[in-house]
Amino acid sequence: GKRPAQTPRWTITGGIVATPDPLVTLETNLRFESLRWSDDQNTLPVEEITLMDVRASFHVTPKIDLYAAIDNITDEEVGSARAADQVLTIDAPRLFRAGVTYRY
Protein backbone atom coordinates (compact mmCIF):
# COMPACT_ATOMS: atom_id res chain seq x y z
CA GLY A 1 0.00 0.00 0.00
CA LYS A 2 3.00 2.34 -0.06
CA ARG A 3 3.61 4.79 -2.90
CA PRO A 4 6.84 4.46 -4.92
CA ALA A 5 9.41 7.14 -4.10
CA GLN A 6 8.93 10.49 -5.88
CA THR A 7 5.56 9.42 -7.33
CA PRO A 8 2.61 11.71 -6.60
CA ARG A 9 -0.80 10.07 -6.45
CA TRP A 10 -2.17 12.84 -8.68
CA THR A 11 -0.59 14.90 -11.45
CA ILE A 12 -2.97 17.23 -13.26
CA THR A 13 -1.82 19.39 -16.16
CA GLY A 14 -3.53 21.81 -18.50
CA GLY A 15 -2.63 24.54 -20.89
CA ILE A 16 -3.94 27.23 -23.19
CA VAL A 17 -2.44 28.34 -26.49
CA ALA A 18 -3.71 31.56 -28.04
CA THR A 19 -2.80 33.26 -31.31
CA PRO A 20 -4.18 36.80 -30.97
CA ASP A 21 -2.22 37.85 -34.06
CA PRO A 22 -0.72 35.74 -36.87
CA LEU A 23 2.74 36.84 -35.72
CA VAL A 24 2.29 36.05 -32.00
CA THR A 25 1.57 32.88 -30.02
CA LEU A 26 0.89 33.02 -26.27
CA GLU A 27 0.98 29.91 -24.08
CA THR A 28 0.33 29.13 -20.43
CA ASN A 29 0.64 25.78 -18.70
CA LEU A 30 -0.50 24.78 -15.22
CA ARG A 31 0.65 21.67 -13.33
CA PHE A 32 -0.49 20.28 -9.98
CA GLU A 33 1.27 17.41 -8.21
CA SER A 34 -0.10 15.96 -4.99
CA LEU A 35 1.99 14.99 -1.98
CA ARG A 36 4.76 12.54 -2.78
CA TRP A 37 7.32 10.69 -0.70
CA SER A 38 11.07 10.99 -0.96
CA ASP A 39 11.55 7.39 0.19
CA ASP A 40 9.91 4.05 -0.53
CA GLN A 41 8.81 3.67 3.12
CA ASN A 42 6.64 6.81 2.84
CA THR A 43 8.19 8.51 5.87
CA LEU A 44 9.77 11.58 4.16
CA PRO A 45 7.00 13.76 2.65
CA VAL A 46 7.52 16.28 -0.14
CA GLU A 47 4.63 18.75 -0.23
CA GLU A 48 2.20 19.21 -3.12
CA ILE A 49 2.91 21.89 -5.71
CA THR A 50 1.07 23.97 -8.27
CA LEU A 51 3.21 25.57 -10.99
CA MET A 52 2.42 27.94 -13.86
CA ASP A 53 4.64 28.58 -16.88
CA VAL A 54 4.08 31.21 -19.60
CA ARG A 55 5.64 31.75 -23.02
CA ALA A 56 5.30 34.28 -25.83
CA SER A 57 6.58 33.50 -29.33
CA PHE A 58 7.06 36.05 -32.08
CA HIS A 59 7.11 34.66 -35.63
CA VAL A 60 9.90 36.59 -37.39
CA THR A 61 9.88 34.51 -40.58
CA PRO A 62 8.05 31.30 -41.55
CA LYS A 63 11.05 29.36 -40.14
CA ILE A 64 12.28 31.54 -37.25
CA ASP A 65 10.58 32.40 -33.95
CA LEU A 66 11.87 34.47 -31.07
CA TYR A 67 10.48 33.52 -27.68
CA ALA A 68 10.47 34.65 -24.06
CA ALA A 69 9.30 32.37 -21.27
CA ILE A 70 8.93 32.33 -17.51
CA ASP A 71 8.85 28.97 -15.72
CA ASN A 72 7.32 28.83 -12.22
CA ILE A 73 5.98 32.36 -12.65
CA THR A 74 4.64 32.50 -9.07
CA ASP A 75 8.11 31.54 -7.73
CA GLU A 76 6.67 28.68 -5.69
CA GLU A 77 9.16 26.78 -3.55
CA VAL A 78 9.37 23.34 -5.12
CA GLY A 79 10.73 20.56 -2.95
CA SER A 80 12.44 17.82 -4.92
CA ALA A 81 13.59 15.50 -2.11
CA ARG A 82 13.66 15.23 1.68
CA ALA A 83 16.59 13.63 3.53
CA ALA A 84 16.30 11.46 6.63
CA ASP A 85 17.28 14.48 8.77
CA GLN A 86 14.24 16.33 7.27
CA VAL A 87 16.38 18.70 5.14
CA LEU A 88 14.37 19.58 2.02
CA THR A 89 16.19 19.91 -1.29
CA ILE A 90 14.67 22.76 -3.29
CA ASP A 91 14.30 22.72 -7.07
CA ALA A 92 14.90 25.74 -9.32
CA PRO A 93 13.01 28.95 -8.48
CA ARG A 94 11.37 31.22 -11.07
CA LEU A 95 13.31 30.96 -14.32
CA PHE A 96 13.41 33.44 -17.20
CA ARG A 97 14.32 32.09 -20.64
CA ALA A 98 14.60 33.58 -24.12
CA GLY A 99 15.72 32.09 -27.37
CA VAL A 100 15.34 31.39 -31.04
CA THR A 101 13.46 28.49 -32.61
CA TYR A 102 14.48 27.49 -36.13
CA ARG A 103 12.42 25.06 -38.20
CA TYR A 104 14.07 23.49 -41.27
Side-chain angles (χ1 to χ4, degrees):
K2 306 251 187 227
R3 301 283 310 152
Q6 298 295 340
T7 307
R9 184 171 300 278
W10 294 99
T11 299
I12 303 169
T13 61
I16 297 173
V17 177
T19 308
D21 181 279
L23 298 178
V24 177
T25 300
L26 305 173
E27 302 175 48
T28 185
N29 294 296
L30 190 66
R31 183 176 87 234
F32 167 80
E33 291 183 2
S34 64
L35 176 107
R36 60 192 186 281
W37 302 97
S38 194
D39 65 324
D40 61 356
Q41 295 300 306
N42 293 176
T43 61
L44 302 169
V46 179
E47 290 76 20
E48 65 184 34
I49 58 166
T50 303
L51 298 175
M52 179 184 284
D53 304 330
V54 295
R55 177 178 167 138
S57 297
F58 305 93
H59 312 298
V60 179
T61 72
K63 292 187 175 192
I64 298 175
D65 292 352
L66 300 177
Y67 71 86
I70 305 172
D71 297 338
N72 189 7
I73 195 166
T74 59
D75 201 23
E76 177 150 345
E77 185 176 276
V78 179
S80 59
R82 186 174 300 277
D85 62 0
Q86 298 301 313
V87 172
L88 183 64
T89 302
I90 305 297
D91 206 351
R94 180 183 303 132
L95 176 67
F96 297 88
R97 300 181 291 121
V100 177
T101 303
Y102 175 75
R103 291 178 293 283
Y104 58 94

